[in-house]
């Protein structure tokens, strides 16, 4: 595929992320691997007998309409499939020489298909792994004591809503809900006025564990199939009123957008970096969250970017503007620590479960991963090129998230896009 | 079925709860209706052509191995199935006269089968709907100001973990986790020392709504398929340390036990009562949670009971002792209000989703639905007949929950049992 060799492609042959697509709403979904501007239809490859010997089981798992059967296998099968897909696509490979025409027929152009949520997500868990985000949010509420005493010991998380996870591009209806008018007046019900995005990275569980059998940290990464981008849309005014004492609920459950391509952990191997460097005064992780290999390369170097395009920017054909840039390597907890903590009480993780990192914010002001932080509760509105100001999201705003891995001497990998546009609230009944 | 006419049966012909069972681990699960000490195999009835005309769609939905296809239909289908099953089982009915022998072959004894979780639970939501429970728990933490200001406006809830929901009888392994040793010492990881149960009632969603389309309170009960008992096992020491600021997570996700029989809302019709009477100073529910029909009969009169049997009671053949009795009608929020609130932000509820009520505690001390309240944080230990004391659960303890509806002139209905025994913690690795 020629486009896979363009220097600015997100999907060179070193990436090969997996996803689920369909050519039309009438057609059954297929599993595919992204390559340049195209998708190799892995379901068709499997039916055509192209996945044999060590990738036969993985090939059979590609016959369904969701990635979970493949996620239910293990690293050795994921690896075998990746090798085989790479071999099929190599322009100098035997397969292309022998079956070039046949392979071309199994490629479909990315811009003519619809991408779907890639797995049946049984449970969705949202972490809170950026100490910068937690500190910023804490500072707004408790200026003298921003970070709670558990933060540097416990990878804080809450259960999210699986049913409302949607694929990139799905329009997001502004939620309604209860908000407080202050201590002296009763709350009221109406459209959210403090609508926000949260830039996160998602981890899809592969393999998983039985109930009652925790995953030790040394084995944790074997239970991560791959990564995607996550926009954990948040209604801040609803959240403020509802969240005590059991945590966020309706302020989050109206929608969560994910990018459609799952970048495998194997593809990310060249971009592994040490875990976040704790400050001298920080405690060591407890033994069940400690592992020298994790300390050494538990981090992943992914540049993340949030862009915004307002309705009037779109009308005036002004390109989306960058709101923030941050990097997953700045998270206080690694993916392995999150998996290990999550299962440490015996909770079973199932293939297809989604764990999200929490808002990825860095140390600098321009690396804050949500509007609440960027515009500091509305006190420092963000200025758009049209002269508009943003404290929170307005109807017609489109939020686009991107992720990219680069390293000298290695092909750059992209995550594709995680995008969503805000529609006005539903009419009251 | 003769046993269905015994005065103490939980499953007279007026009940006909639905569940999923299998005769052996090798056999595929079937859908059944409980009747006396037996189960009518509805999957076999459907295959045998016993569900025709207005219950044909419901019959086809009984061909699977889970109740969700049936839950995905609507009240009219659920009703048609109930009428037909009742007709098949009536001892004076035409079916029994014509096909008595054939029907007997479709009955299986309840005590020889294994009951399974009845639906594929996509999302599990746990409410906090008892004002008595919320006040008691709040009083332990904030004696002067026990109830948070949002409580009487917002049906508080959090997302629970779906993967670790297990059927009655499954052994519960004591979870391990992080607990705090106090402000001056670092936390440690080890077996939970404050293990608790929570008596709750679960509501299975039927029909459901599309994303972005809230369910108005007037239609809310049409989206409730039926009820079961729920034990929301809780690790209080883990909860105390982890729950700020995002709510309970690992303190709940290690296991949730549900009773296997789903009592339909139609069967509960004779036991409907007015919604909980608010105190004179309490605010009215906001309009989206208000409905005269809900005020008039949104409550359900279900007597609930928690029993405990310790290991040494079992050894000495001492019968389980009652710890508390309470009633679902004492909940501050009704099922309709919970459904309506849950979807008010556009969140989609799917057939098979489980909504739990939160701990069902009443006004009196002997109606407190968890040990945390009953033994008041360990300050007033519960005395067992063996002389043992219980502040929290010990290994070998078995907790049994029961539910029963009675009303003069009507057959009493039972919920069956929701039971679970505590196993010791896993060996540390």
């Amino acid at each position: 595929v020629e486009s896979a060799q363009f220097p600015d492609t997100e999907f060179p042959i070193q990436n090969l992320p997996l996803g689920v697509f369909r050519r039309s709403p009438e057609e059954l979904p297929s599993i595919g691997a992204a390559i340049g501007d195209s998708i190799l239809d892995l379901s068709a490859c499997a039916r055509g007998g192209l996945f044999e010997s060590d990738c036969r089981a993985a090939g059979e798992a590609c016959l369904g309409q969701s990635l979970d059967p493949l996620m239910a296998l293990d690293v050795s099968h994921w690896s075998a499939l990746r090798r085989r897909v790479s071999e099929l696509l190599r322009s100098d490979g035997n397969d292309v020489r022998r079956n070039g025409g046949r392979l071309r027929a199994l490629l479909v152009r990315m811009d003519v298909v619809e991408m779907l949520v890639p797995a049946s997500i049984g449970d969705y868990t949202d972490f809170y792994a950026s100490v910068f985000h937690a500190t910023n949010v804490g500072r707004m509420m408790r200026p003298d004591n921003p970070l709670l005493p558990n933060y540097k010991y416990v990878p804080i998380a809450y259960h999210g809503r699986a049913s409302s996870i949607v694929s990139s591009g799905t329009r997001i209806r502004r939620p309604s809900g209860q908000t407080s008018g202050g201590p002296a007046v009763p709350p009221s019900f109406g459209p959210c006025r403090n609508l926000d995005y949260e830039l996160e990275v998602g981890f899809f569980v592969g393999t998983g564990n039985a109930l009652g059998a925790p995953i030790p940290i040394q084995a944790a990464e074997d239970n991560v199939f791959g990564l995607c981008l996550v926009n954990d849309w948040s209604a801040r005014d609803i959240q403020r009123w509802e969240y005590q004492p059991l945590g966020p609920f309706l302020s989050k459950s109206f929608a969560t957008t994910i990018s459609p391509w799952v970048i495998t952990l194997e593809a990310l191997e060249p971009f592994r970096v040490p875990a976040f460097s704790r400050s001298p005064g920080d405690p060591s992780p407890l033994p069940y969250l400690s592992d020298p290999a994790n300390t050494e390369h538990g981090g992943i170097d992914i540049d993340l970017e949030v862009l915004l395009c307002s309705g009037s920017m779109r009308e005036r054909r002004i390109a989306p503007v960058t709101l923030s840039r941050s990097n997953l390597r700045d998270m206080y907890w690694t993916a392995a620590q999150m998996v290990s903590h999550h299962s440490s009480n015996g909770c079973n993780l199932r293939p297809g479960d989604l764990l999200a990192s929490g808002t990825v914010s860095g140390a600098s002001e321009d690396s804050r991963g949500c509007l609440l932080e960027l515009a500091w509760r509305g006190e420092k509105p963000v200025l758009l090129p049209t002269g508009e100001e943003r404290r929170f999201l307005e109807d017609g705003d489109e939020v686009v998230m991107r992720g990219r891995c680069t390293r000298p001497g290695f092909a750059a990998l992209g995550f594709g896009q995680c995008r969503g546009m805000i529609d006005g609230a539903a009419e009251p009944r």
Side-chain angles (χ1 to χ4, degrees), chain A:
Chain A
V1 180
E2 201 191 352
S3 61
Q5 297 169 35
F6 293 166
D8 62 344
T9 184
E10 296 201 282
F11 306 118
I13 197 165
Q14 292 81 359
N15 196 347
L16 299 180
L18 300 170
V20 176
F21 68 97
R22 64 180 171 197
R23 292 171 177 82
S24 73
E26 293 72 42
E27 204 181 299
L28 283 181
S30 296
I31 290 172
I35 179 76
D37 59 4
S38 299
I39 300 173
L40 180 65
D41 185 335
L42 301 190
S43 303
C45 289
R47 283 192 300 271
L50 291 174
F51 297 141
E52 293 304 325
S53 66
D54 71 341
C55 62
R56 174 187 282 268
E60 278 169 14
C62 289
L63 291 172
Q65 296 150 43
S66 156
L67 288 174
D68 6 331
L70 181 61
M71 291 171 171
L73 301 176
D74 64 28
V75 251
S76 68
H77 292 99
W78 308 334
S79 233
L81 181 68
R82 178 175 164 84
R83 272 196 306 275
R84 179 63 181 142
V85 170
S86 178
E87 189 177 80
L88 285 173
L89 290 170
R90 276 177 59 190
S91 53
D92 58 348
N94 283 331
D95 290 282
V96 165
R97 269 201 298 277
R98 280 193 221 129
N99 303 307
R102 191 174 155 213
L103 274 173
R104 262 189 298 280
L106 300 175
L107 285 166
V108 48
R109 265 178 44 205
M110 207 178 267
D111 58 1
V112 301
V113 305
E114 180 192 3
M115 297 302 302
L116 306 175
V117 170
S120 309
I121 300 170
D123 278 290
Y124 160 45
T125 304
D126 198 15
F127 280 83
Y128 193 56
S130 162
V131 69
F132 303 110
H133 172 69
T135 305
N136 284 336
V137 172
R139 195 180 298 153
M140 294 178 202
M141 290 185 287
R142 299 171 303 273
D144 299 331
N145 179 27
L147 209 58
L148 291 168
N150 57 8
Y151 189 85
K152 291 185 173 177
Y153 292 100
V154 181
I156 297 288
Y158 68 100
H159 304 292
R161 178 82 192 175
S163 73
S164 53
I165 296 176
V166 298
S167 196
S168 178
T170 305
R171 307 281 284 240
I172 304 300
R173 188 173 281 291
R174 178 179 298 273
S176 288
Q178 276 193 43
T179 52
S180 168
V185 285
S188 60
F189 182 87
C192 163
R193 278 171 297 205
N194 295 171
L195 188 57
D196 202 356
Y197 61 83
E198 287 191 339
L199 166 69
E200 307 197 9
V201 171
F203 305 87
F204 277 103
V205 172
T207 314
N209 61 311
L211 187 63
I215 300 171
I217 186 156
Q218 294 78 12
E221 284 200 2
D222 291 346
N223 293 277
V224 176
F225 178 83
L227 277 61
C228 67
L229 304 174
V230 176
N231 183 344
D232 180 39
W233 303 97
S234 298
R236 301 298 183 192
D237 44 355
I238 298 173
Q239 186 175 358
R240 209 158 35 237
W241 175 234
E242 75 167 1
Y243 91 105
Q244 288 285 15
L246 299 181
F249 177 49
L250 299 188
S251 53
K252 301 280 192 170
S253 64
F254 60 95
T256 303
T257 304
I258 62 175
S259 61
W261 292 109
V262 185
I263 320 293
T264 63
L265 215 53
E266 194 174 352
L268 293 167
E269 193 49 45
F271 309 100
R272 300 308 298 265
V273 291
F276 181 73
S277 271
R278 296 177 169 222
S279 308
D282 289 347
S284 297
L286 292 186
Y288 79 103
L289 297 176
S290 294
D291 172 37
N294 178 64
T295 309
E296 205 172 313
H297 49 84
I300 316 179
D301 181 5
I302 306 175
D303 284 317
L304 299 162
E305 184 182 12
V306 181
L307 302 105
L308 182 79
C309 189
S310 71
S312 74
M313 285 168 70
R314 211 161 31 251
E315 271 170 29
R316 293 163 60 182
R317 295 170 191 270
I318 299 174
V321 62
T322 296
L323 294 184
S324 69
R325 293 178 199 274
S326 54
N327 193 299
L328 187 69
R329 63 186 297 171
D330 289 334
M331 302 305 267
Y332 196 83
W333 301 104
T334 64
Q337 287 170 323
M338 295 186 225
V339 164
S340 190
H341 180 66
H342 201 322
S343 67
S344 65
N345 66 344
C347 178
N348 52 329
L349 306 183
R350 296 178 295 189
D353 284 352
L354 183 66
L355 275 54
S357 62
T359 306
V360 185
S361 294
S364 64
E365 288 198 14
D366 59 359
S367 67
R368 293 173 174 172
C370 63
L371 269 178
L372 177 69
E373 283 174 86
L374 268 183
W376 205 261
R377 266 194 306 203
E379 290 166 23
K380 299 179 186 173
V382 172
L383 190 66
L384 303 184
T386 46
E388 299 170 279
E389 287 185 339
R390 282 295 175 275
R391 289 169 170 82
F392 291 100
L393 295 172
E394 305 284 340
D395 293 348
D397 283 356
E398 185 173 41
V399 178
V400 181
M401 296 174 173
R402 315 199 56 145
R404 198 166 176 88
C405 296
T406 55
R407 180 179 162 192
F410 290 82
L413 311 188
F415 274 68
Q417 299 193 0
C418 178
R419 60 198 307 154
M421 195 192 294
I422 306 301
D423 278 343
E427 286 295 305
R429 301 185 190 229

